[in-house]
Each structure stands twice: as structure tokens, then as C-alpha cells.
Amino acid sequence: MAQIKPRVSVKYAENATIVSFVDEKILEETDIRALQETIMSVIESASGGMNMILDFGNVRFLSSAVLGLLIRISKRIYERDGRLKLCNINPKIYEVFKITRLTKTFDIYDDVDSAVDG
Amino acid sequence: MTSRAPISCTMNVASTLTASEAVCHLIMAMLDESGFSKEDIFAAHLALEEALINAIRHGNEMDPDKEVKVSYSVDSEKFEVWIEDEGTGFDPKSVPDPRCGDNLYKPNGRGLLLMCSYMDVVEHGERGNRVHMIRYRNKPSVVHGVPKTCR
């Protein structure tokens, strides 16, 4: 598993690239910008459309700026004919997705295994 | 619930995201000490974070010469906060609903919706550069997409 400093870990599985957020809180603008650069570089490094899974298992708090980041990531992946799935979302964070109706926009799975299979 | 004397405080905060983070941390620690539930603290944190970022980024436009005035009070019934920036203000009614149509796919514009969803009262001053929010203790946390009081 590749550790990308300091906020995500990336695991290249057979059918998917699994990006796990390391931090409990994702808030600061600089953090979000760094996350965007890191994740976009993972997307760009793939030769074709990629199946990316974002694992929120460690995340306990996020702001609306993170939702914006997810939208930008999903657009980039879809432009490259890939697929984005979210998983392991804490109930309080899931509530934020429901309120903003982003549950309609994103494919959300209970855990990494079901996201890989889905 | 911990029984304590009401707490109130006013501070002037620099227009930086680091200062905003410090204020959130301070107020959340105080709510924790005052016996607010984890649900209340999550809600207040999210709303405060969004309101401060709006004030710093959109109100004061990150101008280092401008400050955000933050006043808050905590008593046995509620957490109450006022946030005022030095910007020209905005009309909250002009903010499009981020849940509708193409807005759903836009990266911005969800902060106000989250504030209104997680707080029991969200009121903007006439000029639109001041917001007042209340979170009552022990209330159902969220009415999905239907702010209780948001104007």
C-alpha cells in the first residue's frame, strides 16, 4: 500500500484503486487543496478509465468544501470514463450527504468489499 | 446535563482559515465542557465552520486588515452565536438551492443549507453581513432540508 503524505493512503487492488482518507477531520483549505492534488494525480496516472473507491472509514467530520472536492473528483473521473464509489461513511457524515442530496449523485456502499464488488 | 452559570464571550478573529479553526476548537471544547451532546456538538461545529468560512472568504475576502466579530453564549437551554464580517453583505434568498437541478453538480453553495439544517434558528441581519444562529439542547438534530427557522 502506498502512503501518500500525509492525508491519504492508496491501495491498488485488481479491479479498483482504493483511496482511504487518513484524517478524522477534513477542514482546512490547504488540506483540501493537497487532497485534490494528490487524488487528481492518482486519476491522471491511470492509463484509462479507473474504478476509484474513496474510503471514509476514518473520517468523523468534514465541511461543505470537502463535498465540493468530491464533485470535482467525480467530474474528472467521469471525463476519463471511470467510475467513483464512496464507502464506509460514518452515519453523521452520511447525514450530510443526505441533506445535500448527494446520495443521489454518488454511488455509496457500506464497506470497501461491497464497493469492490458493486 | 452539567449545571453551570451562563457563559458569554465576544472576540475579534483574523480573516484566516487557521484563526477560524482555532475559534471552532475553542467553542466546541466549551460546549463539551458544558454537557452538550455529541450530536449537538457535531451540528454546532458544522454550522459554525460554514458560517466562519463564509465570513472570512466571501465577506472579508480573506483581507488581512478585516476581522470577523464572533459573539457566543451558552446556557442551560441553548448555544447561541453571532458572526459579523466587514463585507458588503449578501441576500441569503439569492443563494440558489444546491439540491436542485444542475446545482447538485456544482462544487460550491452548500454551506448555508447545512447551517440551516443543523441549527434550530439561522437569521441574517438586514445588511447580510451578520448571522445569528441557535442550537437548543436535546432537540431532534435535523429536519432534512427543511430549516426550522432560516431567514
Side-chain angles (χ1 to χ4, degrees):
Chain A
M1 183 185 298
Q3 275 284 344
I4 293 179
K5 186 179 113 174
R7 316 213 176 267
V8 294
S9 68
V10 183
K11 182 180 176 184
Y12 294 96
E14 192 178 346
N15 299 320
T17 301
I18 303 159
V19 177
S20 304
F21 294 104
V22 173
D23 297 326
E24 274 197 12
K25 291 184 181 180
I26 313 174
L27 282 176
E28 290 271 5
E29 187 70 15
T30 46
D31 293 350
I32 292 166
R33 212 173 297 134
L35 274 175
Q36 175 160 326
E37 282 175 18
T38 302
I39 296 172
M40 290 298 188
S41 70
V42 172
I43 297 167
E44 304 302 335
S45 69
S47 52
M50 75 179 337
N51 182 20
M52 178 176 276
I53 296 170
L54 292 181
D55 179 0
F56 282 77
N58 295 319
V59 180
R60 296 292 173 268
F61 192 87
L62 49 73
S63 66
S64 66
V66 178
L67 303 178
L69 166 71
L70 296 176
I71 299 271
R72 287 191 289 272
I73 290 170
S74 68
K75 281 184 177 168
R76 190 70 194 113
I77 288 178
Y78 296 141
E79 279 167 9
R80 294 171 63 92
D81 297 323
R83 194 169 169 203
L84 176 67
K85 301 168 187 172
L86 314 183
C87 70
N88 254 336
I89 300 179
N90 165 291
K92 283 200 179 84
I93 304 291
Y94 189 76
E95 201 76 36
V96 174
F97 280 86
K98 271 171 73 176
I99 289 166
T100 52
R101 293 195 191 152
L102 289 176
T103 44
K104 290 182 173 181
T105 315
F106 292 113
D107 288 335
I108 299 179
Y109 294 82
D110 287 344
D111 50 41
V112 172
D113 288 343
S114 55
V116 170
D117 295 339
Chain B
M1 186 182 78
T2 311
S3 177
R4 284 169 180 267
I7 300 166
S8 63
C9 178
T10 296
M11 57 184 113
N12 291 315
V13 182
S15 295
T16 68
L17 297 170
T18 307
S20 153
E21 177 78 357
V23 170
C24 280
H25 186 75
L26 176 78
I27 294 178
M28 292 314 117
M30 194 268 304
L31 291 181
D32 191 28
E33 279 180 22
S34 300
F36 276 79
S37 69
K38 285 191 163 43
E39 204 167 86
D40 286 333
I41 292 172
F42 180 90
H45 191 176
L46 189 55
L48 185 61
E49 181 78 31
E50 298 294 344
L52 281 169
I53 287 174
N54 283 348
I56 290 167
R57 181 182 302 286
H58 303 300
N60 288 353
E61 297 175 319
M62 310 285 286
D63 184 339
D65 293 329
K66 292 180 178 174
E67 292 183 323
V68 177
K69 184 177 173 184
V70 179
S71 305
Y72 65 86
S73 72
V74 179
D75 60 29
S76 60
E77 290 182 357
K78 63 188 182 300
F79 162 63
E80 195 166 9
V81 63
W82 296 260
I83 297 167
E84 182 172 355
D85 61 57
E86 296 185 56
T88 52
F90 77 110
D91 178 5
K93 292 192 193 80
S94 70
V95 178
D97 188 335
R99 301 165 300 182
C100 296
D102 289 346
N103 297 337
L104 199 53
Y105 304 96
K106 290 181 180 167
N108 302 315
R110 295 179 177 83
L112 185 59
L113 170 67
L114 292 175
M115 288 159 58
C116 292
S117 299
Y118 279 95
M119 297 300 272
D120 296 307
V121 173
V122 177
E123 296 172 324
H124 286 86
E126 202 171 319
R127 220 180 97 191
N129 67 330
R130 186 173 196 259
V131 63
H132 169 222
M133 303 189 289
I134 300 176
R135 170 83 183 188
Y136 293 99
R137 287 182 195 257
N138 306 321
K139 293 241 314 175
S141 63
V142 172
V143 178
H144 295 297
V146 185
K148 280 72 70 176
T149 304
C150 191
R151 54 182 182 259

